Amino acid sequence: GKVHSILTLGISIREDFSGRENLYLEAEFQGKTQEETGAVIDEMIAFSELEEFIDMPVHTYSSGMKARLAFTSLAYLEPDILIIDEVLSVGDHLFQDKASKVIHDLCSKGKIVIIVSHSLESIEQMCSRCLWIDDGKVIADGVAAEVTKQYREEVRRRDDLEYASKF
């Protein structure tokens, strides 16, 4: 299916384009026609909460505004597989909640969402399955709460060893 990745939020944003133009451009990259995007553009803008700024050049946006713009396309493009790398930690708390809801909605529609994160709390809240990878090797694979518990225990063990070696 269609794969969409967000490895760095906003990396595909054109600073010289308006927010609206960027939404159309991202949709086009994902195979949507201008007509398809036009049918939901008002909803996209409302979701982003950038209504009064949407026709201004993105280079005038704050980093939080850029994050909202970049994440907005996810809510409407609905890829079959979405890969996200640490992007849910951006923006204010309300935006993080909105982003989490989008992720849950995608999953409830049968889409695959892969979240790469060091935030164990995010993994526990958002993931049904977790892979712990260390130095390119899978250390654990299972229920998120169980794998994060193993990870915390290992980090604590390593910290204790390092501390003990200093004395």
Side-chain angles (χ1 to χ4, degrees), residues 4-47:
H4 186 82
S5 64
I6 300 180
L7 304 178
T8 302
L9 197 56
I11 197 164
S12 64
I13 289 178
R14 293 284 310 265
E15 295 278 332
D16 52 327
F17 285 17
S18 71
R20 182 183 311 270
E21 291 168 326
N22 271 284
L23 289 174
Y24 273 100
L25 184 63
E26 182 62 29
E28 187 176 333
F29 287 153
Q30 296 304 316
K32 301 290 185 185
T33 66
Q34 291 221 348
E35 294 76 23
E36 289 172 315
T37 306
V40 294
I41 193 70
D42 291 337
E43 293 174 50
M44 293 174 80
I45 294 167
F47 179 86

Side-chain angles (χ1 to χ4, degrees), residues 5 8 30 34 53 78 82 86 103 113-115 119 125 151 156 160:
S5 64
T8 302
Q30 296 304 316
Q34 291 221 348
F53 306 99
E78 293 191 358
L82 174 63
E86 297 286 3
I103 300 303
V113 179
I114 300 169
I115 299 173
S119 170
Q125 291 172 0
Y151 177 81
R156 191 173 304 118
D160 288 349

Side-chain angles (χ1 to χ4, degrees), residues 67-80:
R68 288 177 180 271
L69 183 69
F71 201 85
T72 292
S73 63
L74 293 180
Y76 293 88
L77 297 179
E78 293 191 358
D80 297 313

Side-chain angles (χ1 to χ4, degrees), residues 44-53 68 72 92 98:
M44 293 174 80
I45 294 167
F47 179 86
S48 73
E49 300 176 359
L50 296 171
E51 292 93 335
E52 66 183 277
F53 306 99
R68 288 177 180 271
T72 292
D92 59 34
K98 189 183 277 193

Side-chain angles (χ1 to χ4, degrees), residues 87-98:
V87 298
L88 297 177
S89 62
V90 299
D92 59 34
H93 186 68
L94 292 175
F95 176 74
Q96 290 175 7
D97 288 346
K98 189 183 277 193

